[in-house]
Structure formats: C-alpha cells, structure tokens
Amino acid sequence: MAIIHILDHQTIDKIAAGEVVERPSSVVKELVENAIDAGAGAVTVEIKDGGISFIRVTDNGNGIERGQVRNAFLRHATSKISSAEDLTELVSLGFRGEALASIAAVSMVELISKTREDLTGIRYVIEGGDEKEQEEIGAPDGTTVLVRNLFYNTPPRKKFLKQPQTEGSYVADLMEHLAMSNPQISFKFVSGGQTKFYTTGDGDLAQIIYRIYGREIANGLMPFHHQAEGVAIDGLLGRPVINRANRNYEIFYINGRYVKSSLISRAVEEGYREYLMQHKFPFCVLHFRINTDRIDVNVHPAKMEVRIADGPAFYELVKAAIHDALHGTEMIPEVVLTPRAADSAALRSMPAPEPFESRRIAKEAAERTVLSAASDTPGQEDYASLLEAGPTEQRTAREPVSYGRPLLAKAAQTELFADKILSPPARAKFEIIGQLFDTYWLVSYEEKLLIIDQHAAHEKVQYERFLKRFHAHAVVSQAVNPPLIVTLSGRERECYLTHAADFEALGFVVEEFGGNDYAIRGVPLDLYGYGEQEFFREILEELSENAVTGTPETVRTRIAAMACKAAVKGNMRLSLPEAERLIDELLTLDNPYNCPHGRPTIVSMTKYELEKKFKRIVT
Ligand code: ADP
Ligand code: MG
C-alpha cells in the first residue's frame, strides 16, 4: 500500500518555487520589481554566467527594516497587499509575497539592506531555504540581493537551463524592457564584467531607445499619445521605414508592467496595415494606463499576461488610434546616412541630458491619479460608436492587390519548360519591348509575350551565384572601411553569437565594438553595396523568429538565402543593358523559372490568348 507523506516545508518550497523561478531572468525580474516597488531611483544589475552562478541587484530604495528581513523570506509574506480586495487596486508590481521565498529555496541568497531611518544595516544569508547568518553591518541606504548558484539543490531543474550565453540574453532582453518601462529610473546592466547599457533616469524614453537599439531606430520614431475614457496610451511609434521582420519589437506595458498581448499586437498591426508589407511588423513602445478595475494581472505568476475587460472595444480603440496617428504623419522615408564608426563614437560621448525631469514626472503622476479616479463606467458611448464600425476584423494575409494576376495565372508556366524558351539558343529571338510598372520586363518571343519579374529574376541570379561560390568555398569577403556599426539587442546578440561561425563562412567579418555595438568590417563580395547593415540585421531577425536547425550545411544555405533575399531589395532600377545582362544570366541557370522562394520569375501569354481577349478569335 502506498504511504501518504506530508511533505516538509523545504520540499514544498522547492516545488512552489518552480512557479516563480524558472531561470535567471525570472529571478532578475522579481528582484528588480521589488526594487521598483521600493521606490528606487537607481538599480544596478550584474550577472555572471548568464545569471546561473551569480546575480546581484542593488537599489537605493526604502530598504527592509531589520526586524522584517526574516519575514520577507517567508512564503506569502508581503508588505504590498493585505487582502484580496487590494488586488483590484494593485499599483505595485509584486504582490504574491512569493519571490524571495522561492528564490531562497533554490539558491544561495545574501541580502544586505538598510532603511534611511536606521544607522546600520543588516546582512542576512539563507541557502536552500535554511537561514545561515544574520548580522548587523554598515551599509548604504537601500537593498542589495545576491543570488548564487541557482538550482544548486534541484539538479533536474538546473538541467533545463540553456547555455549561459542564452540565459544571459534573456536577462538582457528583460533589462531592456524594464529600462523602457521605467524611464524615470536609472538602470545599469553588467554582464560578465561588461557594462551592456545604462540609462540616466531622466524620463526620456527616446534616449533609452537610442542607448539600447542604436541611432537608426531612435531616428525613426514619432511620439504617440492617445487619451480616451479609462485608457491613456503614450509612447513611440516607429515609422514604417524601420519595420521589423518579427514581433519582438512590439513592446507593450500596462500600468508599468511589461506584457505580451496578442490582442494589442493585432490591434497595432491593423493600425499599421496600410503602411507595412506582408510579414513585416512595426517597432513601437507603448505604455497603456488602464483603470485597474478593467484589467486582471493575476492570470499567471510570471505576470506577463493580462486580461483586459471588453476586449473587442479595446481592440478597436487601439487600432483606430494608431491608424489615425500614422495617417496624420508624412511618411516619405528620409534618407538617413549609415552611421559609421566615427560618428557613432561621437554620439556616444554626447553629454548626458539633465539628470532629473521633475516637472514631467509630477505631471504624469497627476494624470495617473486623475485616470484611476475616472468614473467606473468605461466610456460606454465611445465604445458603442466604435463597435458600430462592425465586428472585430480577423487579421488576414496581406496579399498585394494585383489585377493582372487572374489573367496571367492562366498563362501556363509549364509551357515554358516544354518549349525551353528560357534557354540560351532561344535567347537570340528575344526582343525586349520595355519595362512596365518599374518591375516587369516585357519580352516578345515568337508568338508569345513573356513577362519577366525583374525582382524575382534578380533574386534568383544573385542567389545561385552566391551559392555556387559558397559551395566552392570561394566566398570572397569585401572589406568595409570604415566599419559599419550595428547595435544589437539582447536577442539579436544571442542569435549572432550562435551563428557567428556561419556568418564568417559567408564572408562576414564582425567584431565586438563595446557595449551592444558590433563592427561589420567585411561583407560577402556579392552582397557588397546592397545595404549590408540592413540585411545583417534582417537575417538576425529572421533567425531569432524562426530558429534554423539541421546540418551546418542546411543552416548556412538558409542564411545565404536570407542574405540574398535581403540584398536584392531596393536596388532595382535597371537600365536596358542591365536587364539584358540579367536575362542572359537567368537563362544559364538550371531552374530559371522560380525565384528561391518559389515564386515564378517569368510568365507568358500567347498571341492566341490575346486575340481571344480582343474577340478576334471566337471559340
Ligand atoms: P512581494 O514583492 O510579492 O511582496 P517578495 O517575496 O518579492 O514579495 O518580497 C517580500 C517583501 O520583502 C516585500 O513585500 C517587501 O516588503 C520586501 N522587499 C523585497 N525586496 C525589497 C527591496 N529591494 N527593497 C525593499 N523591500 C523589499
Ligand atoms: Mg516581489
């Protein structure tokens, strides 16, 4: 017969800890949120080995009173709520009173804290949930928490951790989000002894974005503000020129909390719809302030998801607000010079802006108060009128409108194979008529009209040429001088480091350039001059969105394909002789009929079909 045991408190704590503490980034999240809740104006986070062996979070907040320290490490001990009712009016980030207990259950923790009122501080050591030491010491105001050897006593959990580099990139990602959600707090993030970024805490979100994502993005932002009953939205919208290949740059906060919300994502993307190409996503950082009675953050311990009451109305509101903001803005992309090493360094040494913008913070605080005091009927009329616009639209694939399609779809591609039109001998009979819509080359060939998609053709030619060299190990790297400086976010960095060898094999020469910056000193010769920086970043984004797996060979082939795809863009003004050369080269390929992504490079229409259209032939 099975014996039923009552588990001891340490076992219970270890099990429960799994809910809150999954990896180093979850520890950092809880500790930094505690610092923010303690009213800190400056927070420093340092990690080693991606946070697995060492995490230190230091703040200059309220501190914990000597007599309270032991309680802070008890499960369900919190100073932030006292009853379930308080949950509806939650303003602090933490509230479960679980974090410190959970962290201490699965690691070695040392806490040093001092309140402003006390003359001396306290040092408290707790390992695997067991109190080890407690002593009075001299300390600055505020709190430092050191977490060592995460999961040292729960080996199965430790096994689930990824490589230190990957764990570190999660922490970096988190720190970036925390910095952007709290522009009025100065953050410093150090990983492996290197300062990754710091922010001044002057309240300027754009400045933080510049420090994290670099100048290219910071230049392409426009301020956004929208106020409706019960909802205020503030932040920055990326102009469509700085669009991204994945959703990682749609960054949302609700009442100061970083959240993932597919509802908000869809609404924002719909708002951007006319301005973005298929499979492109906006860059935006948006802070939502919503009456606390309309949201539920108590969905998951990680607290990244929220439930928003009256979802459809909220969706419409966000979509319309974004759409209107974009509509009222001049969208003609400006030519921005590629930042080179020299001016990137110059920008970096710009004097820091004034440290504290008290007026604005006071104003924001006042607005927040007004907002949460607003009536609890959430703008009934507003939503009703918005809803009249029709039910929530589903996101549909954004096929470009193409009137020529249905007609040309019939122009059988198979014929092309049978007739071998695309062969060097047939080439002599080609007569290039001209270019249509800046995209299609019209070619007459015997009894047919050939329509060649210049873009697809170019991509195909480029791709084959590049792959041939690549497989022959004859990739040539072209030096870029001065080097191009790119600023990589945590996720991009992780992706680059994982595939660094592949990039090198393709002809990229990339070096660390301090902080989040990397210097591109060489690029594949075939891709030189096509906006190297752009495609380097696009490849990273694609990689981080869809992890590429397989043999090293398939991985590299995929990366090469991405490089080509990114490279052919934009550079598409062809003269007649260039078009001739392009067509010539296309015809030398084994499969000239499809671009690397399967789209046709060429369609044909017979004289017979044309005559039928004009009713010269009636069948
Ligand atoms: P919660 O944040 O949900 O209250 P925690 O376990 O994270 O639970 O923290 C327990 C308590 O310890 C907090 O309620 C707070 O009173 C205190 N505390 C934790 N970290 C700090 C800090 N950095 N500064 C001041 N007090 C802190
Ligand atoms: Mg907490």
Side-chain angles (χ1 to χ4, degrees):
M1 203 179 69
I3 294 168
I4 300 177
H5 302 280
I6 307 252
L7 299 173
D8 60 58
H9 84 94
Q10 275 149 332
T11 312
I12 294 171
D13 281 355
K14 273 194 207 169
I15 294 169
E19 283 269 285
V20 182
V21 183
E22 200 192 344
R23 47 181 12 107
S25 65
S26 26
V27 174
V28 174
K29 176 173 188 288
E30 294 295 338
L31 297 180
V32 174
E33 288 189 347
N34 280 348
I36 296 171
D37 284 346
V43 180
T44 299
V45 174
E46 180 171 359
I47 60 169
K48 287 177 189 157
D49 301 318
I52 299 169
S53 70
F54 181 93
I55 296 170
R56 178 169 55 205
V57 177
T58 300
D59 69 54
N60 62 353
N62 300 334
I64 306 176
E65 266 176 53
R66 207 171 307 162
Q68 297 290 317
V69 169
R70 189 173 282 148
N71 285 349
F73 283 92
L74 294 178
R75 189 162 297 280
H76 307 305
T78 177
S79 56
K80 298 168 193 173
I81 59 169
S82 51
S83 72
E85 281 78 71
D86 291 349
L87 276 175
T88 43
E89 280 162 32
L90 198 64
V91 283
S92 60
L93 296 165
F95 55 86
R96 292 165 182 270
E98 279 180 329
L100 290 184
S102 299
I103 295 165
V106 292
S107 66
M108 301 172 174
V109 175
E110 184 178 342
L111 179 140
I112 295 157
S113 192
K114 179 179 125 30
T115 63
R116 253 158 241 128
E117 298 73 36
D118 286 334
L119 286 175
T120 53
I122 182 165
R123 176 171 166 270
Y124 185 83
V125 180
I126 175 168
E127 294 176 359
D130 287 333
E131 184 180 308
K132 295 281 171 185
E133 274 176 69
Q134 174 161 326
E135 60 172 336
E136 199 179 315
I137 54 159
D141 293 346
T143 304
T144 292
V145 183
L146 279 120
V147 177
R148 292 196 179 88
N149 305 325
L150 186 62
F151 298 142
Y152 79 101
N153 56 352
T154 49
R157 216 158 254 157
K158 187 159 184 174
K159 266 203 301 224
F160 277 102
L161 293 180
K162 302 199 174 142
Q163 291 301 310
Q165 197 180 78
T166 308
E167 294 295 343
S169 82
Y170 295 152
V171 177
D173 243 31
L174 168 81
M175 288 306 299
E176 289 163 5
H177 291 150
L178 286 167
M180 285 187 284
S181 81
N182 301 281
Q184 75 291 356
I185 297 175
S186 165
F187 285 97
K188 183 170 172 191
F189 175 52
V190 181
S191 174
Q194 253 198 325
T195 299
K196 293 298 178 184
F197 72 81
Y198 73 96
T199 65
T200 58
D202 70 349
D204 184 354
L205 180 60
Q207 185 63 222
I208 296 170
I209 291 176
Y210 167 69
R211 283 163 190 266
I212 294 173
Y213 294 107
R215 185 161 78 156
E216 183 201 348
I217 291 214
N219 272 343
L221 301 173
M222 49 196 191
F224 175 75
H225 172 77
H226 185 82
Q227 178 103 41
E229 238 174 294
V231 183
I233 316 172
D234 274 291
L236 295 161
L237 296 179
R239 290 168 191 274
V241 280
I242 57 163
N243 61 37
R244 308 277 98 187
N246 62 45
R247 284 204 175 88
N248 296 341
Y249 303 87
E250 295 173 3
I251 298 163
F252 307 126
Y253 302 93
I254 295 183
N255 299 349
R257 203 184 292 274
Y258 173 69
V259 295
K260 295 255 183 216
S261 160
S262 61
L263 180 82
I264 301 180
S265 276
R266 278 188 289 120
V268 169
E269 286 162 23
E270 275 303 306
Y272 265 93
R273 186 178 183 143
E274 309 166 28
Y275 301 100
L276 291 180
M277 286 191 303
Q278 238 179 312
H279 309 306
K280 287 291 179 187
F281 300 91
F283 179 101
C284 59
V285 179
L286 296 176
H287 288 265
F288 293 80
R289 292 203 208 100
I290 307 178
N291 277 356
T292 45
D293 59 356
R294 294 188 51 205
I295 50 169
D296 181 5
V297 290
N298 196 15
V299 179
H300 185 267
K303 292 168 279 180
M304 222 147 74
E305 285 149 37
V306 283
R307 244 185 252 132
I308 301 166
D310 212 356
F314 184 75
Y315 171 93
E316 291 298 330
L317 181 150
V318 173
K319 173 181 143 186
I322 300 280
H323 174 269
D324 292 352
L326 294 172
H327 221 70
T329 312
E330 177 65 81
M331 283 303 169
I332 300 169
E334 283 165 35
V335 179
V336 180
L337 291 175
T338 319
R340 300 273 164 176
D343 53 36
S344 177
L347 265 169
R348 217 160 280 286
S349 61
M350 274 191 328
E354 60 170 304
F356 204 77
E357 216 192 353
S358 46
R359 235 183 331 139
R360 173 180 165 143
I361 294 163
K363 193 166 144 257
E364 281 188 1
E367 275 176 19
R368 237 187 319 255
T369 322
V370 170
L371 193 67
S372 45
S375 83
D376 48 12
T377 27
Q380 295 290 0
E381 320 89 352
D382 274 3
Y383 292 143
S385 65
L386 278 167
L387 276 176
E388 265 166 36
T392 311
E393 272 179 61
Q394 286 299 312
R395 200 178 126 82
T396 49
R398 289 175 221 156
E399 273 294 303
V401 185
S402 154
Y403 298 106
R405 265 269 180 82
L407 182 69
L408 293 177
K410 291 220 184 82
Q413 253 220 306
T414 46
E415 263 178 53
L416 294 166
F417 291 86
D419 296 1
K420 282 273 182 253
I421 293 173
L422 294 180
S423 63
R427 173 67 176 93
K429 297 182 203 154
F430 279 29
E431 197 183 312
I432 299 184
I433 302 167
Q435 200 188 26
L436 182 67
F437 306 143
D438 275 346
T439 304
Y440 304 103
W441 287 91
L442 304 182
V443 175
S444 90
Y445 169 75
E446 294 186 331
E447 299 275 273
K448 287 189 170 75
L449 169 65
L450 304 181
I451 304 166
I452 298 175
D453 180 332
Q454 155 190 306
H455 187 94
H458 193 205
E459 199 172 337
K460 178 69 175 183
V461 163
Q462 191 91 350
Y463 177 71
E464 293 288 335
R465 204 195 285 161
F466 189 54
L467 278 198
K468 203 180 284 172
R469 288 217 195 144
F470 174 61
H471 289 305
H473 301 285
V475 171
V476 181
S477 183
Q478 160 76 49
V480 187
N481 200 5
L484 300 161
I485 306 302
V486 288
T487 311
L488 301 185
S489 67
R491 198 185 294 254
E492 288 171 333
R493 204 156 50 235
E494 137 83 356
C495 210
Y496 166 68
L497 293 172
T498 310
H499 294 288
D502 301 318
F503 277 98
E504 198 181 317
L506 290 169
F508 283 97
V509 180
V510 181
E511 283 169 16
E512 288 195 7
F513 199 67
N516 290 352
D517 287 353
Y518 284 77
I520 303 179
R521 297 187 186 276
V523 297
L525 178 63
D526 291 297
L527 308 181
Y528 181 67
Y530 286 103
E532 300 85 352
Q533 207 181 11
E534 255 269 289
F535 69 64
F536 180 71
R537 190 182 290 284
E538 278 197 30
I539 298 166
L540 287 179
E541 282 179 22
E542 274 227 38
L543 281 173
S544 63
E545 180 83 332
N546 317 298
V548 182
T549 50
T551 64
E553 197 63 14
T554 51
V555 171
R556 282 181 197 178
T557 306
R558 274 279 290 146
I559 296 176
M562 289 178 204
C564 293
K565 182 177 136 204
V568 272
K569 241 179 245 163
N571 197 322
M572 293 307 289
R573 287 238 154 236
L574 290 193
S575 63
L576 184 62
E578 282 169 326
E580 297 225 10
R581 237 177 296 136
L582 174 64
I583 293 170
D584 285 344
E585 191 165 353
L586 182 68
L587 300 188
T588 64
L589 305 180
D590 292 340
N591 171 11
Y593 308 101
N594 297 94
C595 81
H597 310 96
R599 282 198 302 119
T601 53
I602 183 165
V603 295
S604 84
M605 190 186 283
T606 59
K607 185 177 172 199
Y608 172 80
E609 279 196 66
L610 268 179
E611 296 196 325
K612 239 171 55 181
K613 278 276 168 234
F614 288 105
K615 309 282 181 223
R616 283 168 175 267
I617 299 173
V618 185
T619 43

